[in-house]
Amino acid sequence: MDDENAARWAIRLESETLGERERAELADWLQADERRRGSLLRAEAVLAYLDRGRALAELNDSPQPYVSAGGYRPTFERRGFLVGGTFAALSASGLLGYLLTRPPTMQIETMIGEVRRVPLADGSVASLNTNSKVAVAMLERRRQVHLEDGEVWFQVAHDKTRPFVVETGDVRVQAIGTAFSVRRREDGADILVTEGVVEVWVVGRENERRRIEAGSKGFVADAKPAIEVVHASGDINRALAWRNGEIALNGESLEYAAAELNRYNLRKLAIEGHGLGREPLVGYFRTDQPENFGRAVANMVGARVEIEGDTIRLSR
Amino acid sequence: MRQGRREIVTWVGSNIVPHEADLRVRLRQMAVPEEEISDIVQDAYLKISNLDSVAHIRNGRAYFFATARSVLLDRIRRERIVRIDSMTEMEALSLADEDPGPERRVGARMELERVRRLIADLPDRCREIFELRRIQGVPQREIAERLGVPEHTVEAQAVRGLKLILKAMAGQGGGDGHTPKPRIDRDEDERERNGR
């Protein structure tokens, strides 16, 4: 924040001593950085705020500020202030306040081909496969996830007091601290458990719960009463590799990402320049298109791309 | 309906500025770094300065918090690289106006106390000028006459005073009984990521 200049312009604007040349100067100063308008408004508004000292001083110095006794006439300002204060208090506790303070629902969505790993507020992590959609709500008594579409692998942070419940169609999957995936199907849901145990059931048949343990997978049909569970430890990791030929980066360094891509391609990425390799990256990239990866990354971190033979050189 | 700039500034002065300290406290509790906090606050003011009218805003405090929240989300999304260290969108979404409760709701007396303290903490010369101008409402030219100094000296002192107050307000709310919440433990997440 440029408080020095913001203060200067706020004081000058207020005293209305600005000449033609100074107005042009102010315009130039504002033009140079859009965000200065924020600093200037703050400085001007703080001046206006300090002016309340005057109105409030009168209020405070009066012997009976809130009571209009006989012969004592409250000033207009005082009354205005009190009414304003009451409104502020009312609206602070009103509907708008409620809407803003209720537990937020977080919507997470992935595009076709996208794989995204999203840390949740409770320390859990949701990994969304391609074309998936979930809504997460952290409630007081439970952590609730609605899987609308697609497939998500959850690594659930341990919290006995707040079960983690995934709902999709009529199927419910409950975990306390474990790792499992849920995939929405036309007629039910696939559940793969990689760690711990989950409990699954169908709405309306809460008494017929099944446990699925690590290394097993289950299919829960919306309509059929039976919950099929099979042991399939080998399949699970492969199923969860999300074999789309993509690398999903969540803060890993450019160096690491380039090394990973270089494992899949003959055209190699080379990183040059001070600190460039340490740039953290977030995003998803196809492992089979290193040129596109190079261009995208160059854009993100402000680097140049040069292609020489089989080398894709990133530098800055 | 377009409102005059003066009108908007006055509105911001009485409906937004009084809540800046609480917003900063909240951001600190969320472990947002101090320099980011100032940027977020500045951008929230910028968003408000882009408004043609503030007549539709019924609760300045809630609006300010919601604006800051959207600034925070923008920053996390736009950068893609999370410079606000491991702050997730979920955490950012938790930035909402938590009603401070009746005893902390900004009351008239408390407001006056704050304004007085801000002015009282100024160096003597600044304070004198600020008191004449802000509390007694004496115009700048008259202050210069009364003190027997050139008007630009009065202006320079006023600028200096305002700058100090802007700075003091940025640091406000640090030690007023709020204890910062511990950071959300991200160890498990870190381990998982490093293991890949």
Side-chain angles (χ1 to χ4, degrees):
Chain A
M1 273 203 227
D2 185 359
D3 281 348
E4 170 92 50
N5 282 305
R8 187 160 61 94
W9 288 116
I11 294 283
R12 285 187 177 176
L13 276 169
E14 194 203 34
S15 59
E16 292 174 335
T17 56
L18 290 190
E20 200 73 69
R21 212 190 52 183
E22 283 170 313
R23 287 199 176 275
E25 226 178 283
L26 171 59
D28 284 347
W29 180 75
L30 286 173
Q31 195 100 54
D33 180 356
E34 181 208 45
R35 304 179 62 218
R36 287 178 177 167
R37 283 192 289 121
S39 298
L40 181 62
L41 175 62
R42 177 169 178 261
E44 289 184 282
V46 165
L47 275 183
Y49 168 70
L50 295 174
D51 281 344
R52 306 178 83 199
R54 194 176 347 160
L56 294 168
E58 288 162 16
L59 172 73
N60 200 50
D61 291 343
S62 54
Q64 294 167 295
Y66 300 108
V67 184
S68 155
Y72 186 79
R73 192 170 55 87
T75 66
F76 174 76
E77 288 85 356
R78 182 181 305 133
R79 184 183 287 272
F81 181 81
L82 287 173
V83 170
T86 308
F87 270 119
L90 282 178
S91 53
S93 56
L95 182 64
L96 189 55
Y98 166 74
L99 289 174
L100 286 152
T101 51
R102 72 179 171 181
T105 297
M106 183 195 200
Q107 306 271 359
I108 316 165
E109 211 172 327
T110 51
M111 314 291 286
I112 290 174
E114 180 182 8
V115 175
R116 219 169 124 202
R117 189 169 162 279
V118 183
L120 307 179
D122 67 328
S124 301
V125 178
S127 299
L128 278 75
N129 205 346
T130 172
N131 209 14
S132 301
K133 193 173 179 184
V134 289
V136 182
M138 294 295 162
L139 309 174
E140 205 179 317
R141 290 295 178 78
R142 64 182 193 157
R143 298 167 280 174
Q144 187 176 293
V145 177
H146 180 75
L147 173 64
E148 209 163 296
D149 223 338
E151 177 179 10
V152 182
W153 181 48
F154 299 99
Q155 295 156 279
V156 181
H158 199 82
D159 185 353
K160 267 188 185 162
T161 63
R162 282 200 304 171
F164 190 99
V165 181
V166 180
E167 31 176 85
T168 185
D170 282 341
V171 177
R172 300 290 179 270
V173 184
Q174 177 174 320
I176 292 160
T178 180
F180 64 100
S181 78
V182 180
R183 179 167 176 184
R184 178 96 189 103
R185 299 282 195 179
E186 288 271 295
D187 51 349
D190 281 325
I191 293 117
L192 279 68
V193 182
T194 49
E195 261 175 58
V197 182
V198 301
E199 213 172 35
V200 298
W201 71 94
V202 175
V203 172
R205 295 202 296 272
E206 281 80 3
N207 294 332
E208 301 164 41
R209 294 174 182 229
R210 279 291 299 266
R211 290 165 81 87
I212 306 178
E213 293 181 12
S216 294
K217 62 180 183 181
F219 177 72
V220 188
D222 285 332
K224 274 195 298 185
I227 296 173
E228 302 158 24
V229 178
V230 294
H231 188 75
S233 59
D235 286 349
I236 286 174
N237 282 335
R238 230 172 306 136
L240 290 172
W242 293 348
R243 22 169 208 184
N244 292 318
E246 290 184 320
I247 177 173
L249 300 171
N250 190 4
E252 283 93 347
S253 68
L254 173 54
E255 210 161 39
Y256 166 87
E260 281 295 298
L261 257 79
N262 285 346
R263 283 170 52 200
Y264 298 97
N265 297 286
L266 288 173
R267 310 186 75 176
K268 303 293 187 193
L269 286 153
I271 313 296
E272 286 168 9
H274 183 67
L276 185 56
R278 285 199 297 276
E279 285 281 352
L281 300 177
V282 175
Y284 58 95
F285 305 92
R286 290 202 62 88
T287 48
D288 59 356
Q289 295 173 1
E291 299 90 343
N292 289 348
F293 171 82
R295 285 197 196 95
V297 167
N299 247 332
M300 283 161 77
V301 302
R304 282 185 304 279
V305 192
E306 291 158 304
I307 299 177
E308 280 174 39
D310 279 342
T311 303
I312 302 151
R313 199 181 310 280
L314 289 179
S315 61
R316 74 171 176 204
Chain B
M1 193 59 72
R2 229 189 143 81
Q3 277 177 316
R5 164 119 185 129
R6 238 328 93 199
E7 211 178 316
I8 291 178
V9 166
T10 307
W11 182 86
V12 172
S14 37
N15 294 280
I16 299 292
V17 172
H19 307 296
E20 187 184 312
D22 285 354
L23 174 62
R24 287 176 185 270
V25 166
R26 186 77 186 87
L27 288 166
R28 265 177 222 127
Q29 284 174 348
M30 293 169 73
V32 177
E34 204 60 33
E35 66 278 8
E36 289 280 359
I37 292 178
S38 279
D39 283 356
I40 289 161
V41 168
Q42 181 187 30
D43 282 1
Y45 279 104
L46 173 62
K47 286 204 172 197
I48 294 167
S49 86
N50 287 335
L51 298 173
D52 283 340
S53 162
V54 291
H56 62 290
I57 305 169
R58 291 183 51 199
N59 181 344
R61 180 187 169 90
Y63 190 85
F64 195 31
F65 274 70
T67 304
R69 183 170 76 179
S70 93
V71 167
L72 184 56
L73 283 170
D74 278 355
R75 289 173 82 85
I76 290 172
R77 285 174 186 154
R78 192 186 50 225
E79 303 228 292
R80 303 207 82 186
I81 299 153
V82 184
R83 291 196 203 280
I84 299 174
D85 190 31
S86 48
M87 163 82 62
T88 65
E89 291 190 12
M90 191 67 193
E91 284 164 29
L93 282 168
S94 73
L95 173 59
D97 169 30
E98 279 158 351
D99 194 297
E103 76 283 1
R104 276 194 53 78
R105 216 173 271 142
V106 183
R109 277 158 198 282
M110 187 177 156
E111 203 57 69
L112 173 63
E113 203 31 63
R114 275 200 203 173
V115 169
R116 278 196 170 156
R117 208 164 46 214
L118 283 168
I119 295 178
D121 287 347
L122 291 175
D124 288 351
R125 196 63 183 278
C126 279
R127 198 191 64 235
E128 196 179 346
I129 286 168
F130 251 81
E131 273 170 355
L132 286 170
R133 182 81 192 88
R134 297 290 143 201
I135 308 226
Q136 297 179 37
V138 182
Q140 190 166 292
R141 179 163 304 161
E142 216 181 300
I143 296 175
E145 278 167 24
R146 277 204 213 177
L147 299 180
V149 295
E151 208 182 323
H152 67 80
T153 305
V154 175
E155 193 189 71
Q157 287 295 329
V159 170
R160 183 171 166 231
L162 177 55
K163 199 180 79 186
L164 289 168
I165 285 175
L166 289 174
K167 200 174 154 213
M169 292 193 64
Q172 241 181 20
D176 61 354
H178 284 259
T179 27
K181 281 186 210 149
R183 289 205 55 158
I184 291 173
D185 186 8
R186 313 215 64 80
D187 279 352
E188 208 152 284
D189 182 22
E190 279 314 315
R191 264 203 301 282
E192 204 279 334
R193 187 187 299 166
N194 295 336
R196 279 164 71 134

